[in-house]
Amino acid sequence: MTSIIKVNTIQDGGGNAIITSDGSGNVTTQNVAANTPSFLVTISGTQSISNATDTKIQFNSEVYDTDNTFDSSTNYRFTPAVAGKYVLGTGLTLSSMEADEKVQLQIKKNGSRLDYDPIQRSFSTNTGGETISVENNLIAEANTTDYFEVWIYHTEGGTRDIGQYTYFHGYKLIT
């Protein structure tokens, strides 16, 4: 009889593992892949976004960064360092949006727009003054030197600040 037990850690602290016993005292371990690297970053304070200007969001506060793959001080980008497929997501909130305005939130790979991205939203209200949330989620293939950044564009007419509810996260898919 074979038993399979999943445990969170093994004695050497090696992470997730499957321990298998053949029923006669022989035990083998097999490490299980993890969803790393992974990260979650935000903005500390606010960042001003000019009207009708493509602007890179400066994520300067790391909630977590498992493999030190997010640059939160210079380029504000994620460089996976491990090839594979990645789930990436970003979101923000903008206050006092006027009627008939546009917001684009893009996750760019190596400085270029992905063919299946951006998320673009147009807002049409009679009165304006609304607070809106925009989110963008995708799966992207990456090699060890690719990088991902988040850019915003809006046609609000003036400068808008983003901050408290602005985030970017990602993790490697186990394949």
Side-chain angles (χ1 to χ4, degrees):
M1 178 174 129
T2 300
S3 300
I4 298 177
I5 303 168
K6 184 179 183 318
V7 295
N8 288 329
T9 58
I10 57 177
Q11 188 174 12
D12 68 359
N16 290 340
I18 295 176
I19 297 176
T20 306
S21 171
D22 65 4
S24 61
N26 297 318
V27 176
T28 58
T29 62
Q30 175 186 359
N31 285 333
V32 179
N35 290 105
T36 58
S38 64
F39 68 94
L40 171 60
V41 291
T42 61
I43 294 174
S44 65
T46 60
Q47 180 181 349
S48 294
I49 309 298
S50 298
N51 180 60
T53 304
D54 217 13
T55 305
K56 181 170 32 172
I57 298 178
Q58 297 177 356
F59 293 101
N60 60 359
S61 180
E62 294 179 358
V63 177
Y64 65 87
D65 183 4
T66 62
D67 293 53
N68 198 29
T69 52
F70 194 90
D71 176 358
S72 60
S73 61
T74 307
N75 294 312
Y76 311 104
R77 64 174 60 155
F78 169 60
T79 306
V82 176
K85 289 187 170 104
Y86 285 82
V87 174
L88 301 170
T90 186
L92 59 83
T93 300
L94 289 171
S95 300
S96 304
M97 291 295 291
E98 298 302 325
D100 301 320
E101 299 301 335
K102 175 173 62 176
V103 177
Q104 290 179 336
L105 186 59
Q106 299 178 351
I107 299 172
K108 292 185 178 183
K109 178 179 176 180
N110 301 327
S112 297
R113 182 178 73 100
L114 298 168
D115 289 339
Y116 48 87
D117 193 30
I119 297 296
Q120 176 178 311
R121 305 257 167 91
S122 295
F123 300 92
S124 298
T125 64
N126 293 330
T127 59
E130 292 186 12
T131 297
I132 58 101
S133 294
V134 181
E135 295 180 342
N136 191 351
N137 297 284
L138 54 86
I139 297 174
E141 186 81 28
N143 64 38
T144 59
T145 59
D146 287 331
Y147 64 89
F148 297 90
E149 304 165 317
V150 178
W151 292 74
I152 184 173
Y153 177 93
H154 72 85
T155 59
E156 185 52 29
T159 299
R160 288 286 180 246
D161 288 340
I162 59 173
Q164 181 179 8
Y165 302 110
T166 304
Y167 65 88
F168 182 28
H169 69 87
Y171 60 89
K172 184 178 181 299
L173 282 174
I174 297 173
T175 55

